[in-house]
Amino acid sequence: MSGATILEKAAAAPRTLTRGELAALIDWPDLDALFKAAYAVKLREIGPRVSLRGLVEFGNVCEKDCLYCGIRKSNANVRRYRMTADEIVAAAKRAKDAGYGSVVLQSGELTGEANVAFAEEVVRRIHAEAGNEFGITLSLGEQTEETYRRWKEAGAHRYLLRIETSNPDLYAKLHPASHSWKARRDSLRALRRCGYQVGTGIMSGLPGQTTDDLAADIEFFAAEDIDMIGMGPYIPHPDTPLGAGVSLTGDAAKKRLELGLRMIAATRLHLHDVNIAAATALQALAEDGRERGLLAGANVVMPNVTDTRYRADYQLYTGKPCIGEASDLCRGCMARRIKSIGEEPLWNARGDSPHWRKR
C-alpha cells in the first residue's frame, strides 16, 4: 500500500492500521504530508485548542534506579528535595489562578503508607479548594490498586504512568533486574479498573529501539485503550549508565526531535481522539519544539508551576528548558507561543480526553 493511501486510511477511521502500516507512517519521507494529515485529524477531533496542565514536580526522591533517568536513586550528584503539602497546594492554587484548568502532580516513585497518605492528603486538599471542575493528574509511579483507589477517591481524575517501551526485552535493557515490565503494565490495568483517565507513553530514540518497536508502542496504546499519551524523545543524562559520555547535538539532536514529532503524528493518525502532550523534551531539542509538537497533532502542554528554587534539581534528562523562569512569565510566554501557530489556549477547563468521554 502506498504511503499516501496509508495516510488516507489512517485519517478516515481510527485504529485500522497494521503494524507494518504504522511503521511506514513513522518512517514516511514526506514530513509535511505526515504532519498535515495528523494535524487535520487533531482539528477534526479536538479543534484548534490546547489544554493546559500546570506541572508541579514536588519531589525528586525515587526508589527506582532506571538506567536513563537523572533522578535515579543511585545518582549521588542529585540534591534531593520534597515539597511540603502546603507548598504543593499553593502551587496548585497558582495553576488555577493562572487559568490552567488542571494540575499535574509528579515526583519520583515512592511506595509505603507514609507516601500514600501524604499524596492522599494533598489531593484531598486541592480537590476541596479547587472543586471537581479543576483536573488533578497524578504521575507517581507504580502503586498498589488500593493506593490508586484511595487517591481516586480523594479527588484525582487522571494518572500518567509511562510504560517507556512496549517491548519487555528492551525494557529489561533499560532497567535493573528488580524492575518489572509486567508490573508496570499491570499497574496501567489497575488504574483503568479504578476509573482514572489513564495515560502512558514511551521514549523514542532509545538505544537498540527499532521502528517496529515504535509501531508496536502505538499498538500497545490502542490495545490498552489509553486515554492520554505523554511521550518524548530520549535525551541522555550524563549522570546515568546510559548517558555517561553521550551527547546529543547537531544533526543527532535534529533527528531525535524529528522522531519524536513523527511519533506524535503517527499516534494521532492511529488513535484520533486521545489527548497527546507536546512534551517539554521537544523544547529541550529545539526552541520551538513544543509548537512543532502541536502542529504534528498534540493538543496538551504542561507549563511548569513548581517553585523555581526546586526546578534545577528535577532533571530527568539534560538540557531541560525554563528552569529559572517564574510561572507567571511562563504563562504569558506559553500563551503567545500557542497563539503564534493559530491555536488557542483552553483556559479554565479540565480538558478531559475525548476518548475517555466517549467511553
Side-chain angles (χ1 to χ4, degrees), residues 207-249:
Q209 188 180 57
T210 66
T211 301
D212 187 71
D213 288 327
L214 293 170
D217 291 337
I218 299 175
E219 286 187 324
F220 177 88
F221 302 154
E224 297 297 324
D225 203 24
I226 297 300
D227 299 306
M228 55 190 195
I229 312 295
M231 59 183 172
Y234 166 61
I235 301 175
H237 191 291
D239 295 329
T240 64
L242 282 181
V246 179
S247 62
L248 190 62
T249 59

Side-chain angles (χ1 to χ4, degrees), residues 26 162 164-165 170 174 201-211 213-215 217-218 221 230-236 248 252-253 255-264 267 279 281-282 285:
I26 295 167
R162 298 204 331 183
E164 304 302 3
T165 173
L170 179 57
L174 305 173
I202 57 93
M203 290 182 289
S204 54
L206 288 165
Q209 188 180 57
T210 66
T211 301
D213 288 327
L214 293 170
D217 291 337
I218 299 175
F221 302 154
M231 59 183 172
Y234 166 61
I235 301 175
L248 190 62
K255 290 180 180 178
R256 189 66 53 82
L257 171 64
E258 181 184 294
L259 182 58
L261 297 174
R262 286 176 177 274
M263 281 299 291
I264 289 174
T267 301
L282 297 171
L285 295 177

Side-chain angles (χ1 to χ4, degrees), residues 138-155:
L138 301 180
S139 184
L140 306 179
E142 298 168 30
Q143 304 288 340
T144 66
E145 187 163 343
E146 177 190 2
T147 293
Y148 290 145
R149 200 171 301 280
R150 284 173 61 177
W151 291 345
K152 181 70 166 59
E153 291 173 355

Side-chain angles (χ1 to χ4, degrees), residues 52-53 96 99-103 126-136 155 157-158 346-352 356:
L52 303 166
R53 316 266 192 259
K96 188 174 189 299
Y100 304 152
S102 191
V103 68
I126 293 172
H127 183 68
E129 292 186 20
N132 197 54
E133 293 309 308
F134 184 69
I136 301 175
H157 301 97
R158 312 183 187 99
L346 189 61
W347 300 114
N348 301 304
R350 277 185 14 177
D352 291 329
W356 175 80

Side-chain angles (χ1 to χ4, degrees), residues 77-319:
N77 296 326
V78 176
R79 182 178 60 180
R80 304 291 177 174
Y81 76 91
R82 181 159 181 161
M83 293 167 60
T84 66
D86 287 346
E87 288 176 315
I88 301 168
V89 173
K93 185 179 186 301
R94 284 198 299 272
K96 188 174 189 299
D97 290 347
Y100 304 152
S102 191
V103 68
V104 179
L105 305 182
Q106 184 177 70
S107 77
E109 296 194 25
L110 294 173
T111 56
E113 176 56 28
N115 177 72
V116 172
F118 177 82
E120 184 178 24
E121 175 198 354
V122 168
V123 171
R124 197 176 302 281
R125 286 178 58 183
I126 293 172
H127 183 68
E129 292 186 20
N132 197 54
E133 293 309 308
F134 184 69
I136 301 175
T137 301
L138 301 180
S139 184
L140 306 179
E142 298 168 30
Q143 304 288 340
T144 66
E145 187 163 343
E146 177 190 2
T147 293
Y148 290 145
R149 200 171 301 280
R150 284 173 61 177
W151 291 345
K152 181 70 166 59
E153 291 173 355
H157 301 97
R158 312 183 187 99
Y159 203 102
L160 175 62
L161 180 69
R162 298 204 331 183
I163 194 71
E164 304 302 3
T165 173
S166 63
N167 182 335
D169 293 333
L170 179 57
Y171 186 92
K173 295 176 182 178
L174 305 173
H175 300 85
S178 59
H179 294 37
S180 167
W181 181 90
K182 183 178 181 297
R184 207 157 184 87
R185 190 276 316 275
D186 290 348
S187 291
L188 288 170
R189 295 178 177 179
L191 288 163
R192 168 71 66 230
R193 290 192 294 272
C194 291
Y196 285 89
Q197 294 178 49
V198 180
T200 194
I202 57 93
M203 290 182 289
S204 54
L206 288 165
Q209 188 180 57
T210 66
T211 301
D212 187 71
D213 288 327
L214 293 170
D217 291 337
I218 299 175
E219 286 187 324
F220 177 88
F221 302 154
E224 297 297 324
D225 203 24
I226 297 300
D227 299 306
M228 55 190 195
I229 312 295
M231 59 183 172
Y234 166 61
I235 301 175
H237 191 291
D239 295 329
T240 64
L242 282 181
V246 179
S247 62
L248 190 62
T249 59
D251 288 341
K254 291 178 181 177
K255 290 180 180 178
R256 189 66 53 82
L257 171 64
E258 181 184 294
L259 182 58
L261 297 174
R262 286 176 177 274
M263 281 299 291
I264 289 174
T267 301
R268 175 62 69 197
L269 282 164
H270 191 53
L271 300 185
H272 283 210
D273 59 358
V274 298
N275 278 346
I276 302 177
T280 306
L282 297 171
Q283 190 175 337
L285 295 177
E287 177 63 24
D288 63 345
R290 279 195 281 196
E291 293 95 307
R292 291 166 68 177
L294 294 172
L295 291 174
N299 69 299
V300 174
V301 295
M302 296 187 290
N304 202 325
V305 297
T306 311
D307 192 304
T308 52
R309 63 179 160 158
Y310 297 119
R311 291 191 201 177
D313 298 317
Y314 198 94
Q315 295 198 58
L316 310 185
Y317 53 86
T318 191

